[in-house]
Amino acid sequence: MSDSYTVKDIQVLKGLEAVRKRPGMYIGGTGHDGLHQLVWEILDNSVDEALNGHCSSIEVVMESNGAITIKDSGRGIPVETHPATGKNSVETIFCNLHAGGKFDDDAYKVAGGLHGVGASVVNALSSFLAVEVKRNGFKYSQEFSRGKPVNSLTKIAPARGTGTKITFIPDQEIFPSIDFSKDIIRQRLEVKSFLVAGLKINFMDRIEKSSEIFLYPQGIVDYLDKLVQDKEDIVAQPFYLKHENDIKLEVVFAWTSQTSNQILSFVNSIPTPNGGTHENAFRNALTKTLRQYIEKRNGLPKGVKGVTGDDVKEGLIAILSAYLHGNLEFQGQTKERLNSPGAQQIEPILKTAFETWLSQNPSQAAAIANRIALAAQARVASRAARDDVNRKSATRRLTLPGKLADCSSASKDATELFIVEGDSAGGSSKQARDRKFQAILPIRGKILNVEQASMEKLKGNREISNLVLSIGTGMGKSFDYSKLRYGKVIINTDADVDGHHIATLLLTFFYRFLPELIRNGHVYLAMPPLYRIRVGAGKKSFIKYVFSDKEKDALLKKQNGKEIEIQRFKGLGEMDAPTLKSTTMDPATRTILKVSVENEPQTDDIFDTLMGKDVRKRFIFIKEHAREVQDLDI
Ligand code: 0RA
């Protein structure tokens, strides 16, 4: 008998020696997280007592000497001799790496992810650990250091009630820092108190002499309430389920009108920030149930084909707390992703319960269905917008001329292409534009006189091909109106004879090769002013922009005798950006002329006979004025 006793003793020592040699294997590391893992391991044993209905309050104390004390009102750790070790049960639990589970026939006792070895691991990694047990009408105590008992279990005094109190100081030989974070502990305690409805957790700080009590009678329902910051955002009453057959499951969720979502999942009261089998089962249950519900009722807007998991997730705030039997399997580097196949049972349980709830709460169900339909619609709309942008940027990369300063919007109706003469006009136009919807294409000098050019020659002309590429439609046989890239194509040339000539050449080109653009009202002429005239002096002076000599003369006649300052704009490039913007480009203040053809056969004639000859008559086919301009002298 004494033989086997010794062998067991050696095994026990070897066990905890292994923990001290490779603490990372048991608590993940010896940094900040590993240090706090010690607290979680001890805390979870007490929380388990509470979960199993044996404990109603827990006290957590940050002691002034750096120790942590965790005290619960549970049954108290057994004190009688343990048959397998021949030692008392406290010593057995705290000094034996594999003792935890053997004591425990409680179905759900799988705390801390260490499968019941937590107490001994914390003991092994603590320079000091004291256990006090109230049980059988007495208070008992035993102390340890680095995993080894420093005394034997002692009956101290008669005591009422039951419970366990554990105090420990992390070993500085193991941990580079043993400073606990109050915030991290506080946050964890509050979450635990949410997960165990009615459990009172008193958190005390002996250094700051502060304390805080966490007690949530409605548990995760209170948690949801806290997560939903703005209650007005809630679109329907929360769904709540507590299931306690074979598998234990507690779920609460609601949708808000916010686009963000928050899904918090837990297994055996341990957070699983990376989800896993249980969270997947939860998502599947929700998506399948709502997809069925919405599609059966034709609850989707036109053009939206189906409900996706992401649609269901939008605005969702959920807390999923599952309790699984046996050893949990975790996956990934941080072991925070559950990989237990048993969690798949969650899907049918939740699906059935949620379906029933939807059918029994039709107005809540309708509100939820609307919220998800909205998300689906937004998804389809944003995909369309994204596709549009992709198409546009793809086109831009592949085919748009380098000289084109494109706009950022892809909306055909709202966008404008300004065709300007020369690079200097291009530069100032770029400064003056609203880059969101206004694009600039500078063209060089006089473009080909298309009246005399063949289609072949035309296509080889760089200015023409840049223009056609920018507009997007192609021309001739390959003309495709649906590919038009701008709602307005605005010719903006200098207000002088050369400028007029270029404008005429461009109009001829549009008329001959892209007549649909004129017919459908896409072609415009900008009206840059020819003069800036300051009338009067000092405060009473004002500035007028005029568009022709005639207009200037009329103004001067009217303002006879007043001090006059005249500036002639030799070209667009000379105007500063604010002036160019307000006089010529800003839709709120500019004047542009819509080009239309009154009588096509006649206009044909006119082009034939007048091209390049009579400057004054060139624009007789300009009919529609975007804004009233009395005398158009160009
Ligand atoms: C094993 C068996 C029993 C209780 C406990 C362990 C226990 C462990 C801890 C750790 C912290 N607080 C705790 N409270 C209880 C059940 C003993 C019985 O049947 O009375």
Side-chain angles (χ1 to χ4, degrees):
M1 180 198 148
S2 66
D3 257 12
S4 68
Y5 200 81
T6 312
V7 170
K8 268 176 200 148
D9 266 358
I10 292 167
Q11 279 176 346
V12 166
L13 282 177
K14 272 196 177 158
L16 293 197
E17 214 40 60
V19 177
R20 288 181 63 79
K21 262 202 189 122
R22 310 182 75 181
M25 294 265 293
Y26 301 86
I27 55 167
T30 56
H32 195 256
D33 289 354
L35 179 74
H36 287 80
Q37 189 64 41
L38 302 182
V39 183
W40 315 151
E41 293 299 336
I42 299 297
L43 174 68
D44 283 339
N45 289 335
S46 297
V47 170
D48 278 359
E49 278 292 282
L51 277 168
N52 293 302
H54 305 300
C55 166
S56 60
S57 73
I58 296 173
E59 205 174 275
V60 176
V61 185
M62 293 180 80
E63 306 283 4
S64 47
N65 66 350
I68 295 282
T69 297
I70 295 175
K71 182 172 143 189
D72 66 57
S73 65
R75 294 164 295 174
I77 299 172
V79 288
E80 48 277 9
T81 303
H82 194 271
T85 61
K87 313 257 179 182
N88 81 73
S89 296
V90 171
E91 192 174 324
T92 304
I93 287 178
F94 278 86
C95 298
N96 192 315
L97 195 52
H98 300 287
K102 286 177 198 157
F103 272 87
D104 207 352
D105 5 11
D106 285 341
Y108 300 111
K109 189 163 168 72
V110 196
L114 288 186
H115 319 315
V117 304
S120 59
V121 168
V122 175
N123 193 22
L125 302 176
S126 295
S127 56
F128 170 83
L129 186 143
V131 183
E132 255 181 51
V133 174
K134 281 195 287 183
R135 214 178 139 93
N136 312 330
F138 288 95
K139 187 192 257 185
Y140 305 82
S141 137
Q142 187 171 14
E143 291 179 4
F144 306 85
S145 179
R146 304 198 162 99
K148 292 171 195 160
V150 295
N151 58 14
S152 48
L153 186 73
T154 314
K155 190 188 266 187
I156 301 172
R160 277 197 238 180
T162 59
T164 304
K165 176 173 147 185
I166 295 159
T167 298
F168 69 94
I169 300 174
D171 191 351
Q172 284 185 290
E173 289 176 8
I174 305 282
F175 298 95
S177 161
I178 59 165
D179 290 337
F180 288 104
S181 155
K182 187 175 179 178
D183 266 3
I184 286 179
I185 296 176
R186 186 202 172 280
Q187 200 231 326
R188 184 78 160 213
L189 295 181
E190 184 170 35
V191 170
K192 291 287 180 189
S193 74
F194 278 127
L195 291 174
V196 188
L199 170 64
K200 177 170 143 186
I201 301 182
N202 190 357
F203 180 37
M204 290 186 280
D205 179 346
R206 296 267 193 244
I207 296 172
E208 289 179 13
K209 298 191 167 60
S210 63
S211 73
E212 192 173 359
I213 288 171
F214 303 107
L215 170 58
Y216 294 103
Q218 310 296 318
I220 61 170
V221 175
D222 289 330
Y223 200 175
L224 184 88
D225 204 50
K226 192 195 161 174
L227 291 178
V228 179
Q229 304 268 314
D230 192 342
K231 304 296 174 275
E232 284 182 9
D233 285 345
I234 287 268
V235 303
Q237 272 164 28
F239 167 87
Y240 172 75
L241 170 69
K242 186 169 185 170
H243 175 95
E244 278 179 295
N245 238 330
D246 48 283
I247 184 178
K248 194 175 145 197
L249 178 66
E250 207 185 352
V251 185
V252 66
F253 53 83
W255 279 265
T256 70
S257 48
Q258 305 284 315
T259 49
S260 60
N261 70 78
Q262 201 167 8
I263 300 170
L264 300 178
S265 65
F266 303 87
V267 177
N268 300 350
S269 90
I270 316 293
T272 41
N274 298 325
T277 10
H278 59 323
E279 210 180 291
N280 294 345
F282 164 84
R283 286 167 200 262
N284 285 342
L286 253 66
T287 303
K288 285 180 187 173
T289 307
L290 286 163
R291 181 180 287 152
Q292 262 170 30
Y293 183 91
I294 292 169
E295 288 172 6
K296 208 164 97 187
R297 282 165 184 74
N298 296 323
L300 285 174
K302 268 210 182 96
V304 182
K305 290 219 175 59
V307 170
T308 68
D310 281 347
D311 298 338
V312 169
K313 218 166 77 178
E314 191 177 297
L316 178 67
I317 313 256
I319 299 146
L320 163 67
S321 176
Y323 294 90
L324 302 174
H325 305 268
N327 286 354
L328 300 183
E329 284 173 53
F330 285 91
Q331 204 185 36
Q333 278 218 308
T334 48
K335 305 273 175 222
E336 280 167 329
R337 184 177 171 82
L338 182 71
N339 191 23
S340 297
Q344 282 160 8
Q345 303 168 71
I346 292 170
E347 187 179 322
I349 294 168
L350 180 57
K351 190 164 185 285
T352 307
F354 189 36
E355 275 166 4
T356 307
W357 185 85
L358 287 174
S359 68
Q360 286 171 355
N361 298 276
S363 65
Q364 306 302 321
I368 292 167
N370 277 342
R371 175 68 187 87
I372 288 156
L374 196 74
Q377 191 174 21
R379 166 176 54 83
V380 171
S382 72
R383 162 135 343 131
R386 201 167 53 235
D387 287 352
D388 213 35
V389 171
N390 286 345
R391 191 168 54 240
K392 204 173 177 219
S393 58
T395 323
R396 182 179 299 163
R397 270 199 313 276
L398 295 171
T399 59
L400 290 183
K403 275 186 174 272
L404 175 71
D406 207 1
C407 51
S408 57
S409 169
S411 149
K412 200 180 286 185
D413 293 333
T415 52
E416 304 177 344
L417 173 67
F418 281 85
I419 304 168
V420 301
E421 173 199 348
D423 288 335
S424 87
S428 42
S429 300
K430 270 185 229 172
Q431 283 175 43
R433 70 169 170 157
D434 183 337
R435 63 181 311 127
K436 253 210 311 271
F437 70 98
Q438 294 181 320
I440 312 291
L441 178 69
I443 53 163
R444 194 131 33 109
K446 303 260 169 87
I447 63 160
L448 211 60
N449 186 344
V450 294
E451 268 306 286
Q452 280 122 45
S454 70
M455 191 69 146
E456 277 325 294
K457 204 171 167 197
L458 213 65
K459 281 180 175 163
N461 181 283
R462 178 181 288 262
E463 304 309 309
I464 294 286
S465 77
N466 279 351
L467 181 55
V468 174
L469 286 172
S470 301
I471 289 169
T473 55
M475 63 178 185
K477 269 196 194 123
S478 59
F479 177 84
D480 183 350
Y481 181 62
S482 74
K483 289 196 173 136
L484 179 65
R485 299 180 67 251
Y486 306 95
K488 292 189 176 78
V489 176
I490 302 169
I491 299 166
N492 190 19
T493 52
D494 291 347
D496 58 15
V497 173
D498 270 357
H500 293 156
H501 189 202
I502 291 165
T504 307
L505 291 168
L506 282 165
L507 285 173
T508 309
F509 168 72
F510 281 117
Y511 181 70
R512 287 288 174 222
F513 296 96
L514 295 166
E516 284 88 339
L517 299 195
I518 295 179
R519 266 184 222 131
N520 293 310
H522 293 291
V523 182
Y524 292 78
L525 288 163
M527 294 284 294
L530 192 55
Y531 296 102
R532 179 183 190 268
I533 301 178
R534 181 199 290 277
V535 181
K539 274 189 180 163
K540 280 193 174 163
S541 73
F542 61 92
I543 286 172
K544 216 167 155 32
Y545 293 100
V546 298
F547 298 89
S548 65
D549 283 307
K550 206 169 160 188
E551 212 185 333
K552 178 199 70 181
D553 293 340
L555 179 76
L556 296 187
K557 213 182 241 172
K558 225 168 82 188
Q559 303 294 343
N560 238 352
K562 287 206 182 121
E563 196 175 301
I564 299 279
E565 184 194 293
I566 302 176
Q567 183 192 355
R568 188 180 204 278
F569 295 118
K570 290 208 189 73
L572 293 172
E574 266 185 23
M575 253 183 255
D576 60 28
T579 305
L580 183 58
K581 187 185 178 85
S582 70
T583 59
T584 315
M585 294 183 77
D586 183 351
T589 48
R590 74 187 178 195
T591 299
I592 56 173
L593 303 174
K594 186 188 269 184
V595 175
S596 69
V597 180
E598 213 156 35
N599 181 328
E600 280 205 49
Q602 201 183 311
T603 310
D604 255 36
D605 257 333
I606 291 162
F607 268 109
D608 282 337
T609 52
L610 298 184
M611 236 350 269
K613 294 273 196 288
D614 189 336
V615 169
R616 298 185 149 265
K617 284 187 176 158
R618 282 194 305 240
F619 283 154
I620 58 171
F621 67 118
I622 298 165
K623 180 197 73 174
E624 247 181 82
H625 296 188
R627 279 210 276 140
E628 208 55 65
V629 179
Q630 296 89 2
D631 188 4
L632 182 59
D633 181 24
I634 36 180

